[in-house]
Amino acid sequence: MSFLVLACVLIAVDGDTLRCDQELIRLIGIDAPELPGHCQNGRDCAPGDPLESKRALEVLARGAASIHRQGRDVYGRTLARVQVNGVDLSCAQLAGGHAIYRADWDQFGLVGTDCGVAKPPQPVWASPSARRARSAPAPKAVTGWSYRNCAEARRAGAAPLRRGEPGYGAHMDGDGDGIACEPFRR
């Protein structure tokens, strides 16, 4: 996780993605309407006017920017929180009605709490053995992105990952127990 003052001009690709030179930056925790022809069949795309969402992000992206990287998605885009002139772009897009909040794309739940659209997660203080002893609900289907490997998940501070959590991928769960990137194998 790093802050970096960008030495490039941010260009809005759509309502939730920016370009900085060759780097594509995907804003974390939000989903903006897809540009015409980009919403694939069978996908539940965000409602709204995609061109207005992109125009709003273009206006917001003018000025001194900083980026807080949190990893990469399956498309190779940088997943990040971006601030321009002190304004969080994810929060601004949500507040303007140009995007919807996606808790499953908000790895640490910070966008939801910082932008006032979700309650902070409640910590679980039970021991690991107590957590294993209680019956767990059926795992949710994982949608969205996953880390490429455990090294990337550890660098982002997300390991270990549990099945159903954002960033989890079965390719990182070598023993198939639903916990990827464990500090040790059982």
Side-chain angles (χ1 to χ4, degrees):
M1 295 185 229
S2 63
F3 286 96
L4 174 68
V5 176
L6 298 175
C8 66
V9 174
L10 291 175
I11 298 169
V13 174
D14 57 26
D16 53 27
T17 306
L18 298 161
R19 179 176 299 281
C20 173
D21 292 329
Q22 297 302 310
E23 181 180 27
L24 282 178
I25 302 167
R26 179 65 163 80
L27 299 176
I28 288 183
I30 68 169
D31 190 18
E34 298 295 330
L35 292 172
H38 290 193
C39 187
Q40 299 170 355
N41 287 336
R43 182 168 171 231
D44 189 20
C45 294
D49 182 344
L51 299 177
E52 183 58 35
S53 180
K54 179 181 176 184
R55 278 191 292 274
L57 189 58
E58 286 172 346
V59 171
L60 290 166
R62 295 179 188 149
S66 64
I67 179 172
H68 181 96
R69 289 182 173 87
Q70 293 186 11
R72 292 194 178 275
D73 67 8
V74 296
Y75 304 107
R77 298 177 295 190
T78 299
L79 297 170
R81 302 267 317 256
V82 178
Q83 288 188 333
V84 176
N85 301 325
V87 175
D88 184 288
L89 299 186
S90 292
C91 293
Q93 285 292 83
L94 289 169
H98 302 294
I100 60 171
Y101 176 64
R102 291 288 305 259
D104 55 332
W105 294 351
D106 187 8
Q107 180 178 3
F108 301 111
L110 298 176
V111 171
T113 55
D114 293 350
C115 300
V117 294
K119 293 180 183 176
Q122 298 300 313
V124 178
W125 299 108
S127 68
S129 59
R131 285 195 300 266
R132 281 192 299 271
R134 69 177 183 220
S135 61
K140 297 180 273 183
V142 176
T143 58
W145 62 276
S146 71
Y147 290 101
R148 286 185 282 190
N149 53 46
C150 288
E152 186 176 273
R154 286 187 182 102
R155 278 193 304 272
L161 294 160
R162 287 170 175 65
R163 186 179 294 127
E165 291 180 341
Y168 172 88
H171 64 284
M172 298 181 296
D173 186 1
D175 55 6
D177 66 351
I179 303 172
C181 307
E182 302 165 79
F184 60 89
R185 290 202 182 261
R186 293 181 238 197

